[in-house]
Amino acid sequence: MKRKIIEIDVAKCNGCGVCIPNCPEGALQLIDGKARLVSDLFCDGLGACLGECPRGAIRTIEREAEPYDERRVMANIVRQGAGTIRAHLKHLKSHGEFKYLETAVACLKEHGLPIPELEDPAKLSGGCPGTLAKKLAGKPEKALGGGASALRQWPVQLKLLNPAAEYFDHADLLISADCVAHAYGAFHRDFLAGKILVILCPKLDSDIESYVEKLAEIFRRHEIRSVTVARMEVPCCGGTVAIVQEALKAAGKALEINIKTIGIDGEIQ
């Protein structure tokens, strides 16, 4: 299958090993003085090791790789003790990988091992600043204009969003295709004011199945007041609506979707 996975630039790697402890899954090892990805099966592609490399030798790419195997990962992790088990579960939870988390917990139960208590991922500190959940003040609708931002939270990209973030409680969601804000000049004033924003691209983003699951988890965890979907008129952008519909179905929720379609000329259709 084609998926995101870690790649190491061996020319940049100096073998310092700083990345190794930050991969509880055991996908990285020092071999012949260089960090190496030893198994596709152990790399989840979430990038826990990325920010730890002082040489910038690690990046995430998309390539053909064996599917990540949570059960094989857990077989390796349980041998490393409670600290590593907790780090792995925290890693999965903070990235919203709830299916893998359920599998990991099931493996612990099967081995008769205790399940560590985890902090609310919405309150976890550390890690990449780009994924740290923040609630923003936003601007009152009457003040919008002259470039004022109506953004009420960070991050906004669905891949980075934490389904447990408190700003989803009783939220009016705006789920927007990436291009809409660039095509429609009054995006903040007319669409975003008072809403929590989720952005995605149904054509270029690769892991649509995980998008459906993450949105479904948001719908399961929170009372969502309304859902607005903003899409472009081009046919491929219709996938934005389909993703939301599938997520609502998976979550067992029956919310009406208010669809806004923007033409490539920047006009509402």
Side-chain angles (χ1 to χ4, degrees), residues 161-261:
L161 281 168
N162 187 333
E166 64 178 357
Y167 48 69
F168 287 119
D169 290 337
H170 306 291
D172 294 298
L173 287 188
L174 172 61
I175 301 172
S176 175
D178 291 349
C179 297
V180 172
H182 301 281
Y184 188 68
F187 179 81
H188 282 251
R189 185 193 66 203
D190 293 353
F191 291 167
L192 183 54
K195 294 182 174 63
I196 294 300
L197 178 63
V198 178
I199 67 171
L200 58 92
C201 178
K203 181 176 177 67
L204 299 181
D205 295 346
S206 58
D207 195 359
I208 298 302
E209 184 178 343
S210 73
Y211 278 8
V212 171
E213 176 55 32
K214 181 167 279 192
L215 278 175
E217 189 65 25
I218 291 171
F219 291 134
R220 292 187 195 106
R221 283 173 166 259
H222 306 274
E223 288 296 326
I224 302 298
R225 293 192 300 192
S226 68
V227 179
T228 300
V229 173
R231 54 157 294 187
M232 297 298 297
E233 66 170 319
V234 292
C236 59
C237 207
T240 311
V241 179
I243 289 169
V244 177
Q245 290 171 331
E246 285 297 313
L248 286 169
K249 181 179 178 181
K253 300 290 184 177
L255 292 173
E256 182 178 351
I257 302 173
N258 181 20
I259 301 172
K260 302 290 187 182
T261 303

Side-chain angles (χ1 to χ4, degrees), residues 24-25 41-42 68-80 84-86 88-89 92 100-109 111 113-114 116:
E25 294 77 28
L41 294 170
F42 288 176
Y68 172 76
D69 190 331
E70 180 62 32
R71 285 193 166 274
R72 290 189 64 169
V73 167
M74 286 302 296
N76 179 51
I77 280 178
V78 294
R79 295 194 293 266
Q80 301 178 56
T84 302
I85 291 172
R86 189 179 189 282
H88 176 62
L89 267 59
L92 294 177
Y100 291 151
L101 184 61
E102 288 175 4
T103 301
V105 169
C107 289
L108 292 176
K109 289 179 179 178
H111 286 82
L113 296 172

